[in-house]
Amino acid sequence: MIIKKSNIDIKHGVVDMTHGSGGRATTELINEIFLHTFDNPHIRQGDDACVIDLDSKYSPPSDAYRLVITTDAHVVSPLFFPGGDIGSLAVNGTVNDLAMSGARPLYLTASFILEEGLPIEVLQRVVRSMALASSNAGVSIVAGDTKVVEKGKGDGIFISTTGVGYVDKNVNISGRNARVGDAIIISGTIGDHGVAVLSQRESLSFETKIESDSAALNSLVLEMLRIAPKGVHTLRDPTRGGLGVALNEIAHQSNVGVVLQESSIPVLPQVSAVCELLGLDPLYIANEGKLIAICDPNHVEALLAVMRAHPLGINASLIGVVTQDPNNFVQMTTKLGGQRMVDWLNAEQLPRIC
Amino acid sequence: MIIKKSNIDIKHGVVDMTHGSGGRATTELINEIFLHTFDNPHIRQGDDACVIDLDSKYSPPSDAYRLVITTDAHVVSPLFFPGGDIGSLAVNGTVNDLAMSGARPLYLTASFILEEGLPIEVLQRVVRSMALASSNAGVSIVAGDTKVVEKGKGDGIFISTTGVGYVDKNVNISGRNARVGDAIIISGTIGDHGVAVLSQRESLSFETKIESDSAALNSLVLEMLRIAPKGVHTLRDPTRGGLGVALNEIAHQSNVGVVLQESSIPVLPQVSAVCELLGLDPLYIANEGKLIAICDPNHVEALLAVMRAHPLGINASLIGVVTQDPNNFVQMTTKLGGQRMVDWLNAEQLPRIC
């Protein structure tokens, strides 16, 4: 699929319908923008599917490992925000979903839905950001696809990423494994991502120095599993819906209750201020570089220590406990000492946050 | 992630922004429309990533197999057309990309970008069609994601599918493997899918009985590899860009030329008629249930025999040969005996055909 002369004008060009035709323009776009940037032996194969040797150093023998697969569509608006963009978000989000099963993320695929009129330069920025994020996370983008829709039938760039990894057979981490008495840890401050994206919306622009926490958590998880391989029962990245929805999901999956201590939940003062101003609850705001760990109480000290020693876990905090509760309620002891329900989110707080 | 009471109104409801919030409405939509329809032990795990035991009957030991991964975004318009819809197309397209490497397709993921206002009933029809297509192809949909964008920022439903499968280490099928002297087979008539979709476009509506050929080709490939495991060098499904672009791609990948016999290329008379009327070339029209096989000439007879005995290969035909050509040209001997270039597609023939 090599064509020598390319007509792609990276500086001034825009995506048009021919870039989705499957013909010469599509090939040029793929060569110039994607293959060049994501370059690796797998994506270079040039077929519609990518073949991977399982006995390479990244593919352990099957009798010791299980395959893990996850997928996400990304429609964040705007495409760029403080601390990240749709490209790094797409990579980190999918890497994190794999990591939350205790897996080692290895391969990503990326499919793009581009809106006619998108500046090529914008696409290139996003693709480069994806390449950097994958390199940081230690994963390869091995296959991709690009489609183009007419102006007004899309919104710049949508990216769907799928991740494949392997998990050791002895690791058993799931939302179904929270046990009564378990401790609940959050790896850092909540709400940063949602508020950072919000700050870029035209209708809501406000001055803030808040950056998205978008990051790949697989190296943090590796450290945690090294120190307490059997002590971590559940991992979950509280993205869309935030900490509140993630804990409700886990409570249902494991048929338990949760009691949180509001005073222990780390929130940046700037995030608190924006939330108060706009009537938002940080508990339901999306995070893209944080994890919830539900773990054996005997391992909490050790886990907090390794987390706080990792750049992505400096503000790790013990925020609550798992309780017996046939209603699977998530409750919170407020800073004033009262009790409040942290209900499943009923309405839309922030659309298109990831 | 089980919530007892659901507020989804399948008959009269429409998708709204809360279905993308990650909260209660999202969970209800996922439970009612997706999990129920795609039901299998993997998707039922309920975590963000799906864990698969590699020693199950579908996951052969790693020393005999290689992992194959592919991804596609689907933006076909309209969503429903004679012979298929975006759901079956998304499943078949991804299954076929795996099959074209000789792999056994096993697992699919599906991510949905829904436009606010989409009738729930339309979504359900599409999801059911995906479930039926996956069941027919023998694959499981093991993970998914759903996002919602505002009205006017999408177009009903976009679906990105990723497929994972395994291929025997002794199988080596790739666009890079076409050899001078190889025979080129097409599994049946070309252009059916593109013309079927076109017939449904408001601006171009015409009366025709043409149906899309959308189908999963993995069982046909299995038969072909059984009869000639070493005789098949290249497989490619000529989707977007059609036979013309697919052969140009292969010619470049393998650094060869191609000479086709126009009289041998099967085209339905109705497809020919529509193409003539609209000034389209069937060589560049998308197919979704056809394959090109480039093979050792000694195996052509046997391959054509097993293909013609399979319901998806009844009209299989020998259409050309691979030649030595440093320019990697695809040429065609026309019905009148002349020679014409089958160039890489330069313009958009049919937007959003898959």
Coordinates of all heavy atoms in Angstrom, one line a residue, chain B residues 112-192:
Chain B
F112 N -20.7 1.7 20.0 CA -21.8 2.4 19.3 C -21.7 3.9 19.6 O -21.5 4.3 20.7 CB -23.1 1.9 19.8 CG -23.4 0.5 19.5 CD1 -22.8 -0.5 20.3 CD2 -24.2 0.1 18.4 CE1 -23.1 -1.9 20.0 CE2 -24.4 -1.2 18.2 CZ -23.9 -2.2 19.0
I113 N -21.8 4.7 18.5 CA -22.0 6.1 18.7 C -23.4 6.5 18.2 O -23.7 6.4 17.0 CB -20.9 6.9 17.9 CG1 -19.5 6.6 18.5 CG2 -21.2 8.4 18.0 CD1 -18.4 7.1 17.8
L114 N -24.3 6.8 19.1 CA -25.7 7.0 18.8 C -26.0 8.5 18.8 O -25.5 9.3 19.6 CB -26.6 6.3 19.9 CG -26.3 4.9 20.2 CD1 -27.2 4.4 21.3 CD2 -26.4 4.0 18.9
E115 N -26.9 8.9 17.8 CA -27.3 10.3 17.7 C -28.6 10.4 18.6 O -29.5 9.6 18.5 CB -27.6 10.6 16.3 CG -27.9 12.1 16.1 CD -28.4 12.4 14.7 OE1 -28.7 11.5 13.9 OE2 -28.5 13.6 14.3
E116 N -28.6 11.5 19.4 CA -29.7 11.8 20.2 C -31.0 11.8 19.2 O -30.9 12.4 18.1 CB -29.5 13.3 20.7 CG -30.5 13.8 21.7 CD -30.2 15.3 22.0 OE1 -29.4 15.9 21.3 OE2 -30.7 15.7 23.0
G117 N -32.1 11.3 19.7 CA -33.3 11.2 18.9 C -33.5 9.9 18.2 O -34.6 9.7 17.6
L118 N -32.5 9.1 18.1 CA -32.6 7.8 17.4 C -33.7 7.0 18.1 O -33.7 6.8 19.3 CB -31.3 7.0 17.5 CG -31.3 5.6 17.0 CD1 -31.2 5.6 15.5 CD2 -30.2 4.8 17.6
P119 N -34.7 6.5 17.4 CA -35.7 5.6 18.0 C -35.1 4.4 18.6 O -34.2 3.7 17.9 CB -36.6 5.3 16.8 CG -36.4 6.4 15.8 CD -35.0 6.7 15.9
I120 N -35.4 4.0 19.8 CA -34.9 2.8 20.5 C -35.2 1.6 19.7 O -34.4 0.7 19.6 CB -35.5 2.7 21.9 CG1 -35.2 3.9 22.8 CG2 -35.1 1.4 22.6 CD1 -33.9 3.9 23.4
E121 N -36.3 1.6 19.0 CA -36.8 0.5 18.2 C -35.8 0.2 17.1 O -35.5 -0.9 16.7 CB -38.2 0.7 17.7 CG -38.8 -0.4 17.0 CD -38.5 -0.4 15.5 OE1 -38.2 0.8 15.0 OE2 -38.6 -1.4 14.8
V122 N -35.3 1.3 16.5 CA -34.3 1.2 15.4 C -33.0 0.5 15.9 O -32.4 -0.4 15.4 CB -34.0 2.5 14.7 CG1 -32.8 2.5 13.8 CG2 -35.2 3.0 14.0
L123 N -32.6 1.0 17.1 CA -31.4 0.5 17.7 C -31.6 -1.0 18.0 O -30.7 -1.8 17.7 CB -31.1 1.2 19.1 CG -29.9 0.8 19.8 CD1 -28.6 1.0 19.0 CD2 -29.8 1.5 21.2
Q124 N -32.8 -1.3 18.5 CA -33.0 -2.8 18.8 C -32.9 -3.6 17.6 O -32.4 -4.7 17.6 CB -34.3 -2.9 19.6 CG -34.4 -4.4 20.1 CD -35.6 -4.6 20.9 OE1 -36.7 -4.4 20.4 NE2 -35.5 -5.1 22.1
R125 N -33.5 -3.2 16.5 CA -33.4 -3.9 15.2 C -32.0 -4.2 14.8 O -31.6 -5.3 14.4 CB -34.2 -3.2 14.1 CG -35.6 -3.5 14.0 CD -36.3 -2.6 12.9 NE -35.9 -3.0 11.6 CZ -36.1 -2.2 10.5 NH1 -36.7 -1.0 10.7 NH2 -35.8 -2.6 9.3
V126 N -31.2 -3.1 14.9 CA -29.8 -3.2 14.5 C -29.0 -4.2 15.4 O -28.3 -5.0 14.9 CB -29.1 -1.8 14.5 CG1 -27.6 -1.9 14.4 CG2 -29.7 -1.0 13.4
V127 N -29.3 -4.1 16.7 CA -28.6 -4.9 17.7 C -29.0 -6.4 17.5 O -28.1 -7.3 17.5 CB -28.8 -4.4 19.1 CG1 -28.3 -5.4 20.1 CG2 -28.1 -3.1 19.3
R128 N -30.2 -6.6 17.2 CA -30.7 -8.0 17.0 C -30.1 -8.6 15.7 O -29.7 -9.7 15.6 CB -32.2 -8.0 16.9 CG -32.9 -7.9 18.2 CD -34.4 -8.2 18.2 NE -34.9 -8.2 19.5 CZ -36.2 -8.0 19.8 NH1 -37.0 -7.7 18.9 NH2 -36.6 -8.0 21.1
S129 N -30.0 -7.7 14.7 CA -29.3 -8.1 13.5 C -27.9 -8.5 13.7 O -27.4 -9.5 13.1 CB -29.5 -7.0 12.4 OG -28.6 -7.2 11.3
M130 N -27.2 -7.8 14.6 CA -25.8 -8.1 14.9 C -25.7 -9.4 15.6 O -24.8 -10.2 15.4 CB -25.2 -7.0 15.8 CG -25.0 -5.7 15.2 SD -24.1 -4.6 16.4 CE -22.4 -5.1 16.2
A131 N -26.7 -9.7 16.5 CA -26.7 -10.9 17.3 C -26.8 -12.1 16.3 O -26.2 -13.1 16.4 CB -27.7 -10.9 18.4
L132 N -27.8 -11.9 15.4 CA -28.0 -13.0 14.4 C -26.8 -13.3 13.5 O -26.4 -14.4 13.3 CB -29.3 -12.7 13.6 CG -29.7 -13.7 12.6 CD1 -30.2 -15.0 13.3 CD2 -30.8 -13.1 11.7
A133 N -26.2 -12.2 13.1 CA -25.1 -12.3 12.2 C -23.9 -13.0 12.9 O -23.2 -13.8 12.4 CB -24.6 -10.9 11.6
S134 N -23.7 -12.6 14.2 CA -22.6 -13.2 15.0 C -22.9 -14.7 15.2 O -21.9 -15.5 15.1 CB -22.3 -12.5 16.3 OG -23.0 -11.4 16.5
S135 N -24.1 -15.0 15.5 CA -24.4 -16.4 15.7 C -24.2 -17.2 14.4 O -23.6 -18.2 14.4 CB -25.9 -16.4 16.2 OG -26.4 -17.7 16.0
N136 N -24.6 -16.6 13.3 CA -24.4 -17.3 12.0 C -22.9 -17.5 11.7 O -22.5 -18.5 11.1 CB -25.0 -16.5 10.9 CG -26.5 -16.6 10.9 OD1 -27.1 -17.5 11.5 ND2 -27.2 -15.7 10.2
A137 N -22.1 -16.5 12.1 CA -20.7 -16.6 11.8 C -19.9 -17.4 12.9 O -18.7 -17.6 12.7 CB -20.1 -15.2 11.7
G138 N -20.6 -17.7 14.0 CA -19.9 -18.5 15.0 C -19.0 -17.7 15.9 O -18.0 -18.2 16.5
V139 N -19.3 -16.4 16.0 CA -18.4 -15.6 16.9 C -19.3 -15.0 18.1 O -20.5 -15.0 18.0 CB -17.8 -14.4 16.1 CG1 -16.8 -14.9 15.0 CG2 -18.9 -13.5 15.5
S140 N -18.6 -14.6 19.1 CA -19.3 -14.0 20.3 C -18.9 -12.5 20.3 O -17.7 -12.1 20.2 CB -18.9 -14.6 21.6 OG -19.1 -16.0 21.6
I141 N -19.9 -11.7 20.6 CA -19.6 -10.3 20.9 C -19.4 -10.2 22.4 O -20.2 -10.4 23.3 CB -20.8 -9.4 20.5 CG1 -21.0 -9.4 19.0 CG2 -20.6 -7.9 21.0 CD1 -22.2 -8.7 18.5
V142 N -18.1 -9.9 22.8 CA -17.7 -10.1 24.2 C -17.6 -8.8 25.0 O -17.5 -8.8 26.2 CB -16.4 -10.9 24.3 CG1 -16.5 -12.3 23.7 CG2 -15.2 -10.1 23.6
A143 N -17.5 -7.6 24.3 CA -17.4 -6.4 25.0 C -18.0 -5.3 24.1 O -18.0 -5.4 22.9 CB -15.9 -6.1 25.3
G144 N -18.4 -4.2 24.8 CA -19.0 -3.1 24.0 C -19.0 -1.8 24.7 O -18.5 -1.7 25.9
D145 N -19.4 -0.7 24.1 CA -19.4 0.6 24.7 C -20.5 1.4 23.9 O -20.7 1.1 22.7 CB -18.1 1.3 24.6 CG -18.1 2.6 25.4 OD1 -18.7 2.7 26.4 OD2 -17.4 3.6 24.9
T146 N -21.1 2.3 24.6 CA -22.1 3.2 23.9 C -21.9 4.6 24.3 O -21.8 4.9 25.5 CB -23.5 2.7 24.4 OG1 -23.7 1.4 24.2 CG2 -24.6 3.5 23.6
K147 N -21.8 5.5 23.3 CA -21.8 6.9 23.6 C -22.9 7.5 22.8 O -23.4 7.0 21.8 CB -20.4 7.5 23.1 CG -19.2 6.9 23.9 CD -19.0 7.7 25.2 CE -18.3 6.9 26.2 NZ -17.0 6.4 25.8
V148 N -23.4 8.7 23.3 CA -24.4 9.4 22.7 C -23.9 10.8 22.3 O -23.3 11.5 23.1 CB -25.7 9.5 23.6 CG1 -26.8 10.3 22.9 CG2 -26.2 8.2 24.0
V149 N -24.2 11.3 21.1 CA -23.9 12.7 20.7 C -25.1 13.4 20.4 O -26.2 12.8 20.1 CB -22.9 12.7 19.5 CG1 -21.5 12.1 19.8 CG2 -23.5 12.0 18.3
E150 N -25.1 14.8 20.5 CA -26.2 15.6 20.2 C -26.8 15.4 18.8 O -26.0 15.2 17.9 CB -25.9 17.1 20.5 CG -25.3 17.4 21.8 CD -23.8 17.2 21.9 OE1 -23.2 16.6 21.0 OE2 -23.2 17.7 22.9
K151 N -28.1 15.7 18.7 CA -28.7 15.7 17.4 C -27.9 16.6 16.4 O -27.6 17.7 16.8 CB -30.1 16.1 17.5 CG -31.0 15.7 16.3 CD -32.5 15.8 16.7 CE -33.3 15.4 15.5 NZ -33.1 14.0 15.1
G152 N -27.6 16.1 15.2 CA -26.8 16.9 14.3 C -25.3 16.8 14.4 O -24.6 17.4 13.7
K153 N -24.9 16.0 15.4 CA -23.4 15.7 15.5 C -23.1 14.3 15.2 O -22.0 13.8 15.4 CB -23.0 16.0 17.0 CG -23.3 17.4 17.4 CD -22.3 18.4 16.7 CE -22.5 19.8 17.3 NZ -21.6 20.8 16.6
G154 N -24.1 13.5 14.8 CA -23.9 12.1 14.3 C -24.9 11.8 13.2 O -25.4 12.8 12.7
D155 N -25.1 10.6 13.0 CA -26.1 10.2 12.0 C -26.8 8.9 12.3 O -26.5 7.9 11.7 CB -25.5 10.2 10.6 CG -26.5 10.2 9.5 OD1 -27.7 10.5 9.7 OD2 -26.1 9.9 8.3
G156 N -27.6 8.9 13.3 CA -28.3 7.7 13.7 C -27.4 6.8 14.5 O -27.3 6.8 15.7
I157 N -26.7 5.9 13.8 CA -25.8 4.9 14.5 C -24.5 4.8 13.7 O -24.6 4.6 12.5 CB -26.5 3.5 14.5 CG1 -27.9 3.5 15.1 CG2 -25.6 2.5 15.3 CD1 -28.6 2.2 15.2
F158 N -23.4 4.9 14.4 CA -22.2 4.4 13.9 C -21.7 3.3 14.7 O -21.9 3.3 15.9 CB -21.1 5.5 14.0 CG -21.4 6.8 13.2 CD1 -21.0 8.0 13.8 CD2 -22.0 6.8 12.0 CE1 -21.2 9.2 13.1 CE2 -22.3 8.0 11.3 CZ -21.9 9.2 11.8
I159 N -21.1 2.2 14.1 CA -20.7 1.1 14.9 C -19.2 0.8 14.5 O -18.9 0.6 13.3 CB -21.5 -0.2 14.6 CG1 -23.0 0.1 14.8 CG2 -21.1 -1.4 15.4 CD1 -23.9 -1.1 14.4
S160 N -18.4 0.7 15.5 CA -17.0 0.2 15.3 C -16.9 -1.2 15.9 O -17.2 -1.4 17.1 CB -16.0 1.1 16.0 OG -15.9 2.3 15.3
T161 N -16.5 -2.1 15.1 CA -16.3 -3.5 15.5 C -14.8 -3.9 15.4 O -14.1 -3.5 14.5 CB -17.1 -4.5 14.7 OG1 -17.1 -4.0 13.3 CG2 -18.5 -4.6 15.1
T162 N -14.4 -4.6 16.4 CA -13.0 -5.2 16.4 C -13.1 -6.7 16.5 O -14.0 -7.2 17.3 CB -12.2 -4.6 17.5 OG1 -12.1 -3.2 17.4 CG2 -10.8 -5.2 17.5
G163 N -12.3 -7.4 15.8 CA -12.4 -8.9 15.8 C -11.0 -9.4 16.2 O -10.0 -8.9 15.9
V164 N -11.1 -10.5 17.0 CA -9.9 -11.3 17.4 C -10.1 -12.7 17.0 O -11.2 -13.3 17.2 CB -9.7 -11.1 18.9 CG1 -8.6 -12.0 19.4 CG2 -9.4 -9.7 19.3
G165 N -9.1 -13.3 16.5 CA -9.2 -14.7 16.1 C -7.8 -15.3 16.1 O -6.8 -14.7 16.5
Y166 N -7.7 -16.6 15.8 CA -6.5 -17.3 15.8 C -6.2 -17.9 14.4 O -7.1 -18.3 13.7 CB -6.4 -18.4 16.8 CG -6.3 -17.9 18.2 CD1 -7.5 -17.7 19.0 CD2 -5.1 -17.6 18.7 CE1 -7.4 -17.1 20.3 CE2 -5.0 -17.0 20.0 CZ -6.1 -16.8 20.8 OH -6.0 -16.3 22.0
V167 N -5.0 -18.0 14.0 CA -4.6 -18.6 12.7 C -3.5 -19.6 13.0 O -2.6 -19.4 13.8 CB -4.2 -17.5 11.7 CG1 -2.9 -16.8 12.1 CG2 -4.0 -18.2 10.3
D168 N -3.6 -20.8 12.4 CA -2.6 -21.8 12.4 C -1.3 -21.3 12.0 O -1.2 -20.5 11.0 CB -3.1 -23.0 11.5 CG -2.3 -24.2 11.7 OD1 -1.0 -24.1 11.7 OD2 -2.9 -25.3 12.0
K169 N -0.2 -21.6 12.7 CA 1.1 -21.1 12.3 C 1.5 -21.5 10.9 O 2.4 -20.9 10.3 CB 2.2 -21.6 13.3 CG 2.2 -20.7 14.5 CD 3.6 -20.6 15.1 CE 3.6 -19.5 16.2 NZ 4.5 -19.8 17.3
N170 N 1.0 -22.6 10.4 CA 1.4 -23.1 9.1 C 0.7 -22.4 8.0 O 1.0 -22.5 6.8 CB 1.1 -24.6 9.0 CG 1.9 -25.4 10.0 OD1 3.1 -25.1 10.1 ND2 1.3 -26.3 10.7
V171 N -0.3 -21.6 8.3 CA -1.1 -20.8 7.3 C -0.4 -19.4 7.2 O 0.0 -18.8 8.1 CB -2.5 -20.6 7.7 CG1 -3.2 -19.6 6.8 CG2 -3.3 -21.9 7.8
N172 N -0.1 -19.1 5.9 CA 0.6 -17.8 5.7 C -0.1 -17.1 4.5 O 0.3 -17.3 3.4 CB 2.1 -18.0 5.4 CG 2.8 -16.7 5.2 OD1 2.3 -15.6 5.5 ND2 4.0 -16.8 4.6
I173 N -1.2 -16.4 4.8 CA -1.9 -15.8 3.7 C -1.8 -14.3 3.9 O -2.1 -13.7 5.0 CB -3.4 -16.2 3.8 CG1 -3.5 -17.7 3.5 CG2 -4.3 -15.4 2.9 CD1 -4.8 -18.3 3.7
S174 N -1.4 -13.5 2.9 CA -1.3 -12.1 3.0 C -1.3 -11.5 1.6 O -0.9 -12.1 0.6 CB 0.0 -11.8 3.7 OG 0.4 -10.4 3.5
G175 N -1.6 -10.2 1.6 CA -1.5 -9.4 0.4 C -0.1 -9.3 -0.2 O 0.1 -9.0 -1.3
R176 N 0.9 -9.7 0.7 CA 2.3 -9.6 0.3 C 2.7 -10.9 -0.5 O 3.8 -11.0 -1.0 CB 3.2 -9.4 1.5 CG 2.9 -8.2 2.2 CD 3.9 -8.0 3.4 NE 3.8 -9.1 4.4 CZ 2.9 -9.3 5.3 NH1 1.9 -8.4 5.4 NH2 2.9 -10.3 6.1
N177 N 1.8 -11.9 -0.5 CA 2.2 -13.2 -1.0 C 1.8 -13.6 -2.4 O 2.0 -14.7 -2.8 CB 1.7 -14.3 -0.1 CG 2.3 -14.2 1.3 OD1 3.3 -13.4 1.5 ND2 1.8 -15.0 2.3
A178 N 1.3 -12.7 -3.2 CA 0.9 -13.0 -4.6 C 2.2 -13.2 -5.4 O 3.1 -12.4 -5.2 CB 0.1 -11.9 -5.2
R179 N 2.2 -14.3 -6.2 CA 3.4 -14.6 -7.0 C 3.1 -14.5 -8.5 O 2.0 -14.9 -8.9 CB 3.9 -16.0 -6.6 CG 4.3 -16.1 -5.2 CD 4.8 -17.6 -4.9 NE 4.6 -17.9 -3.5 CZ 4.5 -19.1 -3.1 NH1 4.6 -20.2 -3.9 NH2 4.3 -19.4 -1.8
V180 N 4.1 -14.2 -9.3 CA 3.9 -14.2 -10.7 C 3.5 -15.5 -11.2 O 4.0 -16.5 -10.8 CB 5.3 -13.8 -11.4 CG1 5.1 -13.9 -12.9 CG2 5.7 -12.4 -11.0
G181 N 2.4 -15.6 -12.0 CA 1.9 -16.8 -12.5 C 0.7 -17.3 -11.7 O 0.0 -18.2 -12.1
D182 N 0.4 -16.7 -10.5 CA -0.7 -17.1 -9.7 C -2.0 -16.8 -10.4 O -2.1 -15.8 -11.2 CB -0.7 -16.3 -8.3 CG 0.2 -17.0 -7.3 OD1 0.7 -18.1 -7.6 OD2 0.3 -16.4 -6.2
A183 N -3.0 -17.6 -10.1 CA -4.4 -17.4 -10.6 C -5.2 -16.5 -9.7 O -5.0 -16.5 -8.5 CB -5.1 -18.7 -10.8
I184 N -6.1 -15.7 -10.3 CA -6.9 -14.8 -9.5 C -8.4 -15.3 -9.6 O -8.9 -15.3 -10.7 CB -6.8 -13.3 -9.9 CG1 -5.3 -12.9 -9.8 CG2 -7.7 -12.4 -9.1 CD1 -5.0 -11.5 -10.4
I185 N -9.0 -15.6 -8.5 CA -10.4 -16.0 -8.4 C -11.2 -15.0 -7.7 O -10.8 -14.4 -6.7 CB -10.5 -17.4 -7.7 CG1 -9.7 -18.5 -8.5 CG2 -11.9 -17.8 -7.4 CD1 -9.6 -19.8 -7.7
I186 N -12.4 -14.8 -8.2 CA -13.4 -14.0 -7.4 C -14.5 -15.0 -7.0 O -14.9 -15.8 -7.8 CB -14.0 -12.8 -8.2 CG1 -14.9 -11.9 -7.3 CG2 -14.7 -13.2 -9.4 CD1 -14.2 -10.9 -6.4
S187 N -15.1 -14.8 -5.8 CA -16.0 -15.9 -5.3 C -17.4 -15.7 -5.9 O -18.3 -16.6 -5.6 CB -16.0 -15.8 -3.8 OG -16.5 -14.6 -3.3
G188 N -17.7 -14.6 -6.6 CA -19.1 -14.4 -7.1 C -19.2 -13.0 -7.7 O -18.2 -12.3 -8.0
T189 N -20.5 -12.6 -8.0 CA -20.8 -11.4 -8.7 C -20.3 -10.2 -7.9 O -20.4 -10.2 -6.7 CB -22.3 -11.3 -8.9 OG1 -23.0 -11.4 -7.7 CG2 -22.8 -12.4 -9.9
I190 N -19.9 -9.2 -8.6 CA -19.4 -8.0 -8.0 C -20.4 -6.8 -8.1 O -21.1 -6.7 -9.0 CB -18.0 -7.5 -8.5 CG1 -18.0 -7.1 -10.0 CG2 -16.9 -8.6 -8.2 CD1 -16.8 -6.4 -10.4
G191 N -20.3 -5.9 -7.1 CA -21.1 -4.7 -7.1 C -22.4 -4.7 -6.4 O -23.1 -3.7 -6.3
D192 N -22.9 -5.9 -6.0 CA -24.2 -6.1 -5.5 C -24.4 -5.2 -4.2 O -25.5 -4.5 -4.1 CB -24.5 -7.5 -5.0 CG -24.2 -8.5 -6.1 OD1 -23.6 -8.2 -7.1 OD2 -24.6 -9.7 -5.9

